[in-house]
Amino acid sequence: MTVTPFDAQPATAGDADAITRLLLLTARGDEAAFRQLYDQVAGAVYGLVKRIVRNPAQSEEVAQEVLVEVWRLATRFDPERGTGKTWILTLAHRRAVDRVRSSQAATDRDTRYGVANHEPDHDQVSDEAQVRLEQRQVRRALGELTEVQRTAVELAYYKGFTHQQVAQTLDIPLGTAKTRLRDGLIHLRDAMGVTS
Amino acid sequence: MNSQTFNDDTDIHLLVAAYALDAVDDVERARFERHLPACESCRNELAEMAATVARIGAADESAPPAGMRDAVMASVAKTPQALPRTHMTDFAEAKRPNRTVRWLSVAAVALAIGSVGAVGYGYQQHQQVESITAQSTLVTSVLMAPDAQLRQMPMGSATSTIVMSPSEGAAVMVASNVPALPSDQVYELWTVTADGDARPAGTWTPGTSGSAAVPIEGDLATTAAVAVTVEPAGGSAKPTSKPIASVSMA
């Protein structure tokens, strides 16, 4: 398969059930199924990781680790708890956040720096050549949140902040930060028509 | 121990969104995961929130680097798959009696990882940080395994614990208050067979605060005891000094 950055229609546009099926086959040790699964999800995994980790070389390493973890942990995927794609992207986000946290702990970057430089990276997204329906939908849904909800969700999702760090950065009580994250996600869920 | 942190379950339901966004620390994550098997409403809410969060992530899709596929497949060819969890072990986990001990060990590991992680992050050190991240993932999965077993291993003025999980097929050593060594020496772990044969199981040095969380390398099935010696930098193939600590794994 030849993939070029501009005409590539990454296969993850494909259907969620196919990903779930391939993941279940992978759980039985089927390497051929895993190879197909890779082609379905590698673009989504790499893009998600790069958005959060940012450094391309490190992003590739983390994405690679995530995909090997998908192979290793496929045996623990439970289709009753959600789709295969959700399971894989959940794993990818967690590993990306782990990487950001270990780098940040080491560079001693404090949370004020994080918020001072906090701009939604929408320009970076449109750089990816295709602004697809999915991206527009996510952006629109994020845009409908209140300022505090949106900032809280973006700091947590894109920057790897814990809810304590969100609370401290936005100067709101801990309980409020948890509530803002929750309200924000509920709104996004409804706006994007997610049923799980 | 702060009882608010560990025992107050009244607000744990509110953690669903923070958990789905990975906006929790390791201790909260473990606490929430322990709560999940017993709470159907949290499980249902989490399913929707996780799907929502995945949608945010899917919007950033981009073509992966060309060499990545081959690298992943090569890695997969030599990576064994984890054993499946069963519903029985989920329930056993939810009812596990010795949670205080486990929580203490989790907290100790969180401290150890935190201090190891603080060694500084330069371009050349990133390999090191990467391996620490991989190690801490292994350490966390061993500690959180439903069948994790703890063995105290006295080590002079230091405290250390071996945590072993047959289902993960792995064990880790967690230690604190470990004295620093001169730069030409390291601590080395050994797995000792029933015949008394000591096999190298990894070298390590404590973090700046004297903590360590180290995977124990080697075949656990044939390990009768774990021991620690002080060795020249780089480690030894066979122990060159008397153990400063050991514990039976039988």
Side-chain angles (χ1 to χ4, degrees):
Chain A
M1 183 176 70
T2 312
V3 175
T4 64
F6 287 94
D7 66 13
Q9 182 58 267
T12 27
D15 84 293
D17 289 348
I19 292 173
T20 300
R21 271 198 307 276
L22 288 170
L23 188 53
L24 289 170
L25 287 172
T26 299
R28 299 182 200 163
D30 183 339
E31 284 189 45
F34 177 77
R35 193 180 294 269
Q36 289 180 49
L37 181 63
Y38 178 95
D39 292 334
Q40 294 275 311
V41 301
V45 167
Y46 177 69
L48 181 160
V49 169
K50 186 155 65 87
R51 181 77 195 276
I52 293 164
V53 173
R54 303 180 74 101
N55 172 304
Q58 283 195 43
S59 300
E60 183 175 351
E61 284 168 13
V62 174
Q64 219 167 292
E65 283 167 20
V66 168
L67 288 156
V68 176
E69 282 284 274
V70 167
W71 160 261
R72 198 176 75 80
L73 297 176
T75 48
R76 299 192 173 165
F77 166 65
D78 178 356
E80 286 177 17
R81 294 190 189 178
T83 68
K85 188 168 180 183
T86 293
W87 185 82
I88 290 167
L89 294 184
T90 299
L91 190 58
H93 187 260
R94 186 171 296 181
R95 293 293 176 264
V97 165
D98 284 348
R99 173 60 67 101
V100 167
R101 286 188 189 161
S102 54
S103 316
Q104 283 188 346
T107 52
D108 200 24
R109 177 196 281 190
D110 75 23
T111 51
R112 280 180 297 110
Y113 180 89
V115 79
N117 287 274
H118 176 64
E119 292 292 336
D121 295 325
H122 294 162
D123 291 347
Q124 194 192 335
V125 173
S126 49
D127 281 350
E128 298 293 350
Q130 25 181 330
V131 180
R132 293 193 306 275
L133 179 65
E134 181 117 36
Q135 293 175 328
R136 284 208 300 274
Q137 218 178 355
V138 168
R139 261 193 243 175
R140 192 187 317 123
L142 281 168
E144 286 167 4
L145 301 182
T146 67
E147 177 73 26
V148 178
Q149 285 174 351
R150 186 177 63 248
T151 312
V153 169
E154 289 182 342
L155 287 174
Y157 186 85
Y158 293 117
K159 302 250 175 200
F161 280 29
T162 65
H163 65 96
Q164 284 104 330
Q165 288 165 332
V166 168
Q168 187 189 327
T169 303
L170 299 182
D171 198 20
I172 53 180
L174 260 188
T176 309
K178 277 188 251 183
T179 313
R180 292 296 169 268
L181 291 174
R182 186 166 184 273
D183 295 347
L185 278 195
I186 288 172
H187 185 92
L188 291 175
R189 178 194 71 194
D190 295 344
M192 297 191 293
V194 174
T195 53
S196 99
Chain B
M1 184 195 301
N2 181 340
S3 62
Q4 176 94 24
T5 309
F6 295 108
N7 297 330
D8 181 0
D9 281 350
T10 54
D11 65 350
I12 195 156
H13 307 277
L14 278 179
L15 270 183
V16 180
Y19 177 85
L21 283 159
D22 291 315
V24 289
D25 60 33
D26 290 347
V27 171
E28 287 169 329
R29 175 179 293 158
R31 179 175 165 234
F32 186 76
E33 286 174 354
R34 190 173 296 277
H35 167 72
L36 266 185
C39 183
E40 195 184 348
S41 78
C42 280
R43 281 202 305 276
N44 293 337
E45 195 170 332
L46 177 62
E48 290 186 350
M49 297 231 166
T52 304
V53 171
R55 286 284 294 278
I56 305 177
D60 286 315
E61 188 165 319
S62 102
M68 199 168 94
R69 191 174 191 261
D70 288 346
V72 168
M73 293 311 299
S75 209
V76 157
K78 52 190 181 187
T79 303
Q81 292 183 295
L83 298 174
R85 287 216 171 90
T86 65
H87 293 295
M88 289 307 287
T89 53
D90 278 352
F91 282 114
E93 161 116 338
K95 289 178 180 153
R96 204 179 171 85
N98 59 343
R99 63 187 275 179
T100 308
V101 177
R102 285 162 59 77
W103 277 116
L104 284 170
S105 70
V106 171
V109 167
L111 281 172
I113 291 166
S115 61
V116 173
V119 290
Y121 185 77
Y123 203 64
Q124 285 125 354
Q125 280 158 315
H126 116 204
Q127 206 65 27
Q128 187 187 352
V129 170
E130 186 191 343
S131 104
I132 288 168
T133 306
Q135 285 187 1
S136 63
T137 306
L138 172 67
V139 167
T140 308
S141 54
V142 169
L143 282 167
M144 287 296 103
D147 60 346
Q149 302 162 15
L150 301 180
R151 284 185 175 73
Q152 303 299 325
M153 179 170 73
M155 187 159 59
S157 60
T159 46
S160 75
T161 305
I162 306 294
V163 187
M164 180 178 70
S165 160
S167 71
E168 296 282 333
V172 299
M173 184 210 66
V174 182
S176 53
N177 296 320
V178 181
L181 291 172
S183 61
D184 59 346
Q185 292 184 328
V186 292
Y187 291 102
E188 184 158 1
L189 277 159
W190 304 91
T191 56
V192 184
T193 64
D195 302 338
D197 185 25
R199 302 165 298 188
T203 61
W204 54 282
T205 51
T208 44
S209 66
S211 301
V214 195
I216 298 171
E217 297 160 15
D219 178 14
L220 293 174
T222 57
T223 295
V226 170
V228 177
T229 61
V230 175
E231 299 293 332
S236 307
K238 289 287 164 197
T240 61
S241 63
K242 282 203 172 128
I244 57 166
S246 65
V247 63
S248 164
M249 299 299 284

